Amino acid sequence: MKAEQYEIGMVGLGVMGRNLLLNMADHGHSVAGYDKDVAKVAKLCQEAENRDIRGAADIQEFIALLRQPRAVMMLVPAGPPVDSVINDLLRHLRPGDLIIDAGNSYFKDTDVRARNLKAKDLQFLGVGVSGGEEGARHGPSIMPGGPKEAYERVRPVLEAVAARVNGDPCVTWLGPGSAGHFVKMVHNGIEYGVMQLLAEAYDLMKRGLGLNDDEMGEAYALWNKGELNSYLVEITSHIFSKQDKKTGKRLLDEILDVAKQKGTGMWTSQSAMELQVPIPTIDLAVAMRNLSVFAKERERASALYQHAQRRFTGDQESFLTQLSRALFAGIIITYAQGMALLSVASNKYEYHLDLEAVARIWRGGCIIRAGLLEDICAAFHTQPGLPNLLLAPNLSRKVMEHEEDLRQVVCRAAELRIPAPGLMVSLGYLDAYRSAWLPANLIQAQRDYFGAHTYERNDAKGTFHTEWDKGGES
């Protein structure tokens, strides 16, 4: 074994880290992996076969394998584990070395780590990686942020392992600081929103139309051949046919109706509120996962608010077409909210994001890859400073063409007493965003009445206050 032979090292040899290393080696890069768990190191060595890969369970041995200046990537859970790994690495790294956090770290933590490491003359990249186990092995979407020169050091490796669309790698330098992790966070927020909408469509088909698993799987498969073509719709169509080995029944029907989360959706909502950017479909998706956890309370409420199940009346095929079109409108609106958040954050945090490039690298490898992203790329190519996709001519036309379907599906869901809050709030956002007048003047009057918060007028500049219960103005 030659010392200082390997181009890049990986800390964390779980499925994601191991698969990404194998991907790198498949593309001709020499790589080394480290994990305290000897079994994980052994598994890497077993799968390495004839690839240029080394594994180590000792950190000093691992560091000695890497070329100088060293590049070390981490794929460990967000939070304290990241700081723990960094502290372990600091004992062995030298000025000029590079640490890459490829996990789902909170962007503000990334900023703090970058500042602390810069003070030690170490470079740091916060890199979002999307695509799950399969993506890591065969081509993920990669979202790097940090010093441009640090990205250039590892660009050949990242471009080699990334998914490709029309020959273009689904990776690009996004901006300084925590730009990469912020973009990955919003990616996940959009993912939350789309998954919620897909689940609501499932509920309307299952409890509303009374379709069986095969029929629902066929519906999603059909939708995936049209304008809804996307990874999430595709895998949803597959889920319905999977059998449970334990019971022989369809596995989906044996899964508890509790959806968990790791925090990126919640961070997206929190960040949007801090930046005062409305993203109600994403917020609602986070809230519905939270609500799903209250299973016992939901059972009590179900018994308390008993009502006869209303059956769908009408033509099922027509409704399924309407539902697919409503779903497409809701998904466009969800992407619009996420990209609007990126636009504001780019200015606030000085990321200088190229939103066309963001959409471009999402077209392959990542969880939210979809045919719709071609339209989104085109929208930002035509108008780079576009604040909201709902203002793009082509996308606004598509939303308007599908608007009545969305409205009718929302009405039918309400009539059937089937919860479809994601579709409902998407419609509400659309109606509010395109409204030249909103009733916020009443809210501001209320604020001035009880708190003397002042208000602005239509007919004069400045701020005003009224003694509402006295009839005077000051």
Side-chain angles (χ1 to χ4, degrees):
M1 184 190 303
K2 295 181 181 179
E4 300 183 4
Q5 171 181 341
Y6 296 89
E7 294 177 60
I8 192 166
M10 175 70 72
V11 178
L13 299 179
V15 175
M16 285 289 290
R18 188 172 70 252
N19 279 355
L20 200 55
L21 271 189
L22 291 168
N23 188 350
M24 292 175 182
D26 282 344
H27 288 87
H29 296 281
S30 59
V31 293
Y34 163 72
D35 201 294
K36 293 179 180 179
D37 187 336
V38 177
K40 290 181 179 178
V41 176
K43 189 169 181 62
L44 172 68
C45 294
Q46 178 186 356
E47 294 184 7
E49 297 177 338
N50 296 322
R51 299 177 181 89
D52 198 1
I53 298 178
R54 292 287 182 180
D58 178 81
I59 193 167
Q60 191 167 349
E61 177 189 348
F62 165 69
I63 294 296
L65 291 170
L66 305 178
R67 295 178 190 170
Q68 296 190 46
R70 305 176 185 91
V72 182
M73 179 178 287
M74 303 178 291
L75 258 171
V76 297
V82 175
D83 293 312
S84 177
V85 169
I86 290 174
N87 287 335
D88 289 344
L89 289 171
L90 285 177
R91 301 186 184 97
H92 306 279
L93 297 182
R94 297 178 181 176
D97 288 345
L98 167 64
I99 299 176
I100 305 164
D101 178 7
N104 278 335
S105 288
Y106 183 43
F107 77 100
K108 291 186 178 181
D109 292 342
T110 298
D111 284 327
V112 171
R113 291 164 184 149
R115 286 196 298 270
N116 292 341
L117 290 171
K118 185 178 181 180
K120 300 178 186 298
D121 201 19
L122 292 168
Q123 292 184 315
F124 186 68
L125 289 174
V127 177
V129 179
S130 178
E133 300 174 16
E134 187 70 15
R137 185 66 186 88
H138 300 292
S141 174
I142 305 176
M143 296 155 256
K148 181 71 179 295
E149 63 274 17
Y151 168 70
E152 289 298 328
R153 286 177 54 181
V154 292
R155 180 173 58 83
V157 178
L158 297 183
E159 288 186 350
V161 301
R164 303 187 94 81
V165 175
N166 300 325
D168 298 325
C170 292
V171 58
T172 190
W173 179 72
L174 293 173
S178 55
H181 276 151
F182 193 94
V183 169
K184 177 56 165 58
M185 177 189 75
V186 174
H187 164 286
N188 285 21
I190 294 171
E191 178 184 309
Y192 273 55
V194 174
M195 291 171 71
Q196 174 64 28
L197 296 177
L198 291 172
E200 291 177 11
Y202 157 59
D203 195 2
L204 284 165
M205 287 190 282
K206 181 180 178 68
R207 291 196 289 179
L209 301 184
L211 301 187
N212 61 36
D213 289 334
D214 287 334
E215 291 168 328
M216 289 185 285
E218 289 171 4
Y220 282 102
L222 178 63
W223 294 350
N224 191 52
K225 295 177 181 178
E227 62 189 7
L228 284 169
N229 173 255
S230 65
Y231 174 74
L232 283 170
V233 173
E234 179 186 358
I235 67 168
T236 303
S237 73
H238 297 163
I239 286 171
F240 290 95
S241 61
K242 186 71 173 179
Q243 283 193 314
D244 178 23
K245 293 180 180 179
K246 181 178 179 181
T247 64
K249 300 177 182 178
R250 297 299 170 91
L251 178 57
L252 178 61
D253 300 323
E254 303 304 306
I255 296 176
L256 192 66
D257 62 331
V258 173
K260 299 182 180 179
Q261 53 190 314
K262 292 186 176 179
T264 48
M266 178 185 68
W267 295 340
T268 306
S269 290
Q270 289 175 337
S271 298
M273 289 183 182
E274 289 176 2
L275 295 171
Q276 297 183 318
V277 180
I279 55 167
T281 308
I282 296 171
D283 293 341
L284 186 280
V286 175
M288 289 303 290
R289 291 200 192 188
N290 291 336
L291 183 59
S292 75
V293 175
F294 291 87
K296 291 184 178 179
E297 288 185 34
R298 289 190 287 112
E299 289 175 5
R300 290 174 58 189
S302 178
L304 181 62
Y305 293 94
Q306 286 186 11
H307 56 78
Q309 180 66 50
R310 291 181 176 175
R311 304 300 300 175
F312 175 85
T313 57
D315 183 72
Q316 287 195 352
E317 288 302 318
S318 296
F319 181 74
L320 283 173
T321 299
Q322 200 169 50
L323 180 58
S324 71
R325 291 173 59 81
L327 187 56
F328 187 59
I331 289 173
I332 293 175
I333 291 166
T334 303
Y335 275 90
Q337 293 171 17
M339 300 307 281
L341 175 57
L342 288 179
S343 178
V344 173
S346 178
N347 293 325
K348 174 68 175 180
Y349 302 129
E350 299 183 347
Y351 293 147
H352 309 293
L353 295 174
D354 178 346
L355 295 185
E356 180 189 355
V358 171
R360 188 169 61 246
I361 66 173
W362 284 352
R363 294 178 304 161
C366 75
I367 303 301
I368 64 170
R369 61 186 185 267
L372 172 63
L373 283 161
E374 295 291 351
D375 293 313
I376 294 175
C377 284
F380 285 117
H381 180 77
T382 303
Q383 301 181 66
L386 187 68
N388 193 302
L389 287 170
L390 295 182
L391 298 176
N394 187 40
L395 286 167
S396 63
R397 177 181 56 79
K398 290 189 176 187
V399 171
M400 287 187 287
E401 289 173 353
H402 294 67
E403 175 204 341
E404 190 58 29
D405 298 292
L406 177 57
R407 198 172 299 280
Q408 291 301 316
V409 167
V410 164
C411 290
R412 185 55 66 96
E415 291 170 357
L416 295 173
R417 298 194 180 106
I418 293 175
L423 291 167
M424 291 174 176
V425 78
S426 297
L427 177 61
Y429 174 83
L430 172 64
D431 283 340
Y433 187 75
R434 69 178 182 183
S435 181
W437 177 87
L438 289 173
N441 57 331
L442 176 59
I443 295 172
Q444 197 60 24
Q446 292 167 334
R447 294 182 72 241
D448 190 55
Y449 193 116
F450 65 69
H453 293 293
T454 73
Y455 55 86
E456 296 174 86
R457 296 180 61 94
N458 295 319
D459 56 1
K461 292 184 178 180
T463 56
F464 301 85
H465 168 61
T466 294
E467 298 291 339
W468 296 86
D469 56 349
K470 297 179 181 178
E473 182 180 304
S474 60

